[in-house]
Amino acid sequence: MAARLRELYTKKVAPAMAQEFGYKNMMAVPKIEKISVNIGMGEAIGNAKAMDAAAGDLAKITGQRPVVTKSKKAISNFRLRVGMPIGLKVTLRGERMWHFLEKLVTVALPRIRDFQGVPDKSFDGRGNYSLGLKEQLVFPEIEYDKIDRLRGMEITICTTARTDEEARALLRSLGMPFRTAS
């Protein structure tokens, strides 16, 4: 089953962007390369079971098993040693990426309390967009009764766009609800 967002991109968004930005070749039109989802787990230093719960939540949300990231430096003030697990990450590509983006835009973001839109200033200068969520409950797969703690996550959408304007136009046309200045 192909994601509706991917069909929208190939049939409407890519031709419209080629015309708007004057691309002569369709391969030059920006596209989404990958989506990276990260959870920082500073609490895992004192509580090893927290890592398993967060990994289960992230696996439910993304449909892919997360990779445990380990510390590269020792920081004595935080009782952190080299090689201790301190985070989780998932990199989504292909069909899973399109399904996750569709779920993020149509289901998860509108469920945020007092949602005014996502900030349009979170681009890195090379066409990649980062978004932080304060809790994992905005995703419908997570049941409120089954979680042990609210955890935030960072979602980075990597595109092949060369400028932030191209990436902003791409994401806006795919339905990303950017905050409007009022």
Side-chain angles (χ1 to χ4, degrees), residues 7-23 26 29:
E7 289 178 27
L8 175 75
Y9 173 77
T10 55
K11 291 185 175 145
K12 293 184 180 172
V13 174
M17 284 192 68
Q19 189 173 18
E20 180 184 346
F21 289 101
Y23 297 119
M26 285 304 284
V29 176

Side-chain angles (χ1 to χ4, degrees), residues 30-99:
K31 54 184 158 281
I32 296 178
E33 211 169 24
K34 65 182 176 179
I35 296 177
S36 174
V37 183
N38 306 310
I39 296 180
M41 295 288 301
E43 68 182 285
I45 295 169
N47 182 6
K49 290 197 187 325
M51 188 67 80
D52 297 333
D57 288 349
L58 194 56
K60 280 183 196 169
I61 290 169
T62 60
Q64 189 170 308
R65 201 176 102 215
V67 174
V68 176
T69 57
K70 299 184 185 285
S71 64
K72 295 177 182 166
K73 286 184 174 181
I75 303 172
S76 62
N77 289 348
F78 298 122
R79 298 192 319 267
L80 182 67
R81 305 287 168 256
V82 174
M84 288 178 84
I86 56 168
L88 297 165
K89 71 176 180 178
V90 172
T91 302
L92 300 169
R93 299 176 198 269
E95 283 301 311
R96 280 195 184 135
M97 171 189 73
W98 286 105
H99 284 291

